[in-house]
Structures are given as structure tokens and as C-alpha cells.
Amino acid sequence: MNQMKKTKIMDEKAIGRALARITHEIIEKNEGAEDICLMGVRTRGIPMARILAENIFRFEGIEVPVGTIDPTIHRDDLSSARKAELAGDCHFPCDIKDRTVILADDVLYTGRTARAAIEAVFAYGRPKKLQLAVLVDRGHRELPIKADYVGKNVPTSNHERISVKIDGHDEESAVYILKDL
């Protein structure tokens, strides 16, 4: 059995600060939040999107619609059978035609999940703008994808993993880097 060394790199307070900063950056870059729709990428992007929406309401008094997106069927690195087995539902809470859609995801790595999520959005409709917010950017892109909002840049090797836990989905809020022993 493969043993992993687990090192906490963000605790609940650090995650809260990062998401508050991302929220302020979203509001500033979009000159408010009136036309924003947040879409949480399955799995931990969903509670992240909800936290961003709560922050926007707390900072601006605006209720932002929050949806969920499962990019599985648009992935280019899974077989058709595996896609069908893993695919979940997408929920768009509003018409995205005249909105800025912000995809929220926990980790940006190769860019393949982000690309698939972008394709899932465009399969539904054409937003005014599409932006990407991630809690952790660990590098190692295989596709030319860059997040608009990043909570923390964490340079990693390909032999390491990032594990994000978000309260509401998990028993705690923390980010860990996992290394083989």
C-alpha cells in the first residue's frame, strides 16, 4: 500500500481569507456583481461557488445565482463508457446570455477539467463573459488555460497531489499537499 505524507498548506482561516480576496477581485473586475452567475465545478467547486455567493451578498447586498456544472461528458481523457458512468447533472440557475459566468473550482492543474467545464457552459448557451476562479493553482498546464482569480499558487511536482477539503462537503476546511513516502 502506498503511504502518503500529508502537509497542511491552508487552514480554514487561510481559505476564508483567500475566498474573501477572490470575491473582492470578482466585484472589482466586473464593476459590481449584478450580471454574475457562479457555476461550481463538481465536486468541491460547488461549495466554493456558494461561499463566493455568500461573500458577494455580504459585501454588496446582491444575491448571485449559483449553479452546478459537471464537465465529465466533455473530458478528452476518459473513455465514453467511463464518461457515462461518472457523469452527473448540470444546473444552470438562470439564462446566461447576458451574464458573466464564473466557473469556481478547487484546483487548477493540467487545465483539462477547466476546458471541459468551458465546453459544458457553451453547450448550454453563450455567456457575455466567462471567467475562472480557483482556490489553488498548482501549475503543470497541458492546455493554455489561466485562472482569472487564484486563492493560492502552489508549485508542485507531478508526483504530488493537492487535496482540498471544504466544510459543508467535508468534515473540515483545509488544503493539503500529499507526497509519496
Side-chain angles (χ1 to χ4, degrees):
M1 187 163 141
N2 204 11
Q3 297 230 345
M4 305 287 280
K5 178 184 176 191
K6 187 174 176 179
T7 305
K8 187 184 284 189
I9 58 173
M10 292 178 82
D11 61 12
E12 184 174 4
K13 286 184 179 184
I15 290 172
R17 285 189 302 270
L19 293 177
R21 183 175 36 76
I22 288 172
T23 305
H24 285 294
E25 290 174 3
I26 287 169
I27 293 165
E28 185 176 329
K29 184 173 184 171
N30 292 289
E31 299 177 355
E34 292 80 10
D35 298 328
I36 289 174
C37 172
L38 287 161
M39 297 295 294
V41 177
R42 191 183 101 182
T43 298
R44 285 174 186 79
I46 296 169
M48 184 178 149
R50 290 184 184 127
I51 293 167
L52 293 172
E54 290 167 8
N55 286 348
I56 289 171
F57 184 75
R58 194 168 67 240
F59 302 152
E60 294 287 303
I62 296 170
E63 288 193 35
V64 174
V66 179
T68 60
I69 196 152
D70 182 348
T72 305
I73 63 169
H74 297 281
R75 292 197 59 108
D76 63 358
D77 56 349
L78 296 175
S79 69
S80 295
R82 188 77 175 134
K83 286 180 192 179
E85 175 187 327
L86 295 174
D89 292 331
C90 293
H91 166 69
F92 286 83
C94 60
D95 184 2
I96 62 172
K97 181 179 175 227
D98 294 319
R99 290 193 180 260
T100 296
V101 172
I102 300 174
L103 296 170
D105 203 0
D106 58 347
V107 178
L108 179 57
Y109 180 36
T110 63
R112 294 190 178 280
T113 300
R115 183 208 50 82
I118 291 166
E119 284 191 28
V121 168
F122 281 104
Y124 179 79
R126 186 172 186 262
K128 178 173 69 174
K129 288 188 226 174
L130 185 59
Q131 298 172 349
L132 177 61
V134 298
L135 182 58
V136 176
D137 183 345
R138 62 173 288 196
H140 302 283
R141 231 52 100 243
E142 294 175 4
L143 300 171
I145 302 282
K146 183 177 187 272
D148 299 276
Y149 313 101
V150 177
K152 185 173 182 78
N153 287 293
V154 181
T156 61
S157 77
N158 282 319
H159 303 290
E160 296 170 319
R161 286 190 9 221
I162 297 290
S163 175
V164 174
K165 307 290 184 189
I166 296 182
D167 195 28
H169 187 274
D170 302 292
E171 65 285 348
E172 66 174 329
S173 289
V175 177
Y176 296 95
I177 189 163
L178 307 175
K179 300 178 185 182
D180 289 324
L181 289 179

